[in-house]
Amino acid sequence: VLAQNHIIHFDLKLENILIEEEEVTEVEEFGGDKKRLAPPSLSIALSDFGEGKIYSNASDSNTHRNRGTEVIKSPEMLTVAYAGRVTHDNYDRRKRSGAGPLSDVWSLGCLLYELVVGEYLFMEDDFGAFLNRVTAPNAELLKAEQLEKLASMPFIKDMLYFILIRDPNRRPHVEEVLDRVTR
């Protein structure tokens, strides 16, 4: 797991997940038919660490650099360009502001929706509407039409509500997400 190795990806999306089917053993049966001896095995790898960050301890984990793809950015990453800048009047280096490891958890929620539905969760024609939807405390995160697409998948809907918490201090850690999946 990236988090255990002090790595933040900041760009978790389908385009950065590589899947390869490994060779499957087949045997020829009587009559020339072939039969698989085992189900296919997949090899999955994460790619494109160009936006990533390696950190040594919690105090070094946050960034004030704008990183990643807009539609999967966490609320704190979307506002990082404006709040917590070193040049900003009220900047305090002791305060853990900016975007950190929990940004990847937010992106996992976006990735989950994209995997299940086949489209981005936060795709808006207007950037202002997109920014408001993701960052404004009272804005609706999951639209009615998106919830309708998940109507037959209550576990997925529940996971999205669990993961997509605007406040990173209240958002679950990746271990909590994994724990919930394996329950």
Side-chain angles (χ1 to χ4, degrees):
V1 174
L2 295 176
Q4 292 172 338
N5 291 302
H6 301 275
I7 300 170
I8 311 167
H9 193 279
F10 285 121
D11 205 19
L12 297 174
K13 59 184 178 181
L14 282 181
E15 291 90 338
N16 292 337
I17 297 175
L18 308 174
I19 301 173
E20 179 180 42
E21 184 176 2
E22 295 176 355
E23 265 189 59
V24 177
T25 306
E26 293 182 344
V27 292
E28 192 169 323
E29 291 186 330
F30 184 75
D33 293 335
K34 289 191 177 191
K35 179 180 177 183
R36 286 183 174 209
L37 291 180
S41 179
L42 300 176
S43 176
I44 301 173
L46 192 55
S47 68
D48 191 3
F49 285 82
E51 297 293 328
K53 177 180 172 74
I54 299 172
Y55 61 96
S56 55
N57 56 53
S59 64
D60 184 37
S61 65
N62 287 10
T63 184
H64 297 300
R65 186 179 141 228
N66 191 9
R67 301 170 186 249
T69 303
E70 295 298 318
V71 294
I72 60 164
K73 284 182 183 176
S74 64
E76 61 273 20
M77 181 56 81
L78 285 168
T79 57
V80 78
Y82 308 105
R85 282 185 146 177
V86 174
T87 56
H88 200 269
D89 290 340
N90 63 357
Y91 174 76
D92 182 351
R93 67 176 174 76
R94 296 165 297 177
K95 184 179 177 192
R96 291 190 55 211
S97 62
L102 293 172
S103 285
D104 278 356
V105 174
W106 176 275
S107 297
L108 283 175
C110 296
L111 178 62
L112 175 62
Y113 183 85
E114 187 181 356
L115 280 167
V116 171
V117 176
E119 57 192 43
Y120 288 122
L121 177 59
F122 297 111
M123 182 60 81
E124 300 283 344
D125 293 333
D126 176 79
F127 182 76
F130 160 72
L131 185 63
N132 183 64
R133 182 172 165 211
V134 175
T135 61
N138 298 324
E140 185 179 45
L141 279 174
L142 299 170
K143 294 180 176 181
E145 58 267 17
Q146 292 173 317
L147 290 171
E148 191 174 306
K149 292 176 183 178
L150 300 171
S152 66
M153 298 174 261
F155 176 77
I156 301 296
K157 192 173 8 176
D158 179 57
M159 283 301 293
L160 290 174
Y161 280 121
F162 179 68
I163 293 171
L164 298 173
I165 306 294
R166 285 187 182 94
D167 180 354
N169 296 315
R170 293 181 46 236
R171 191 176 306 139
H173 291 256
V174 71
E175 295 84 7
E176 294 170 290
V177 174
L178 291 172
D179 182 52
R180 194 172 184 118
V181 169
T182 57
R183 278 196 250 173

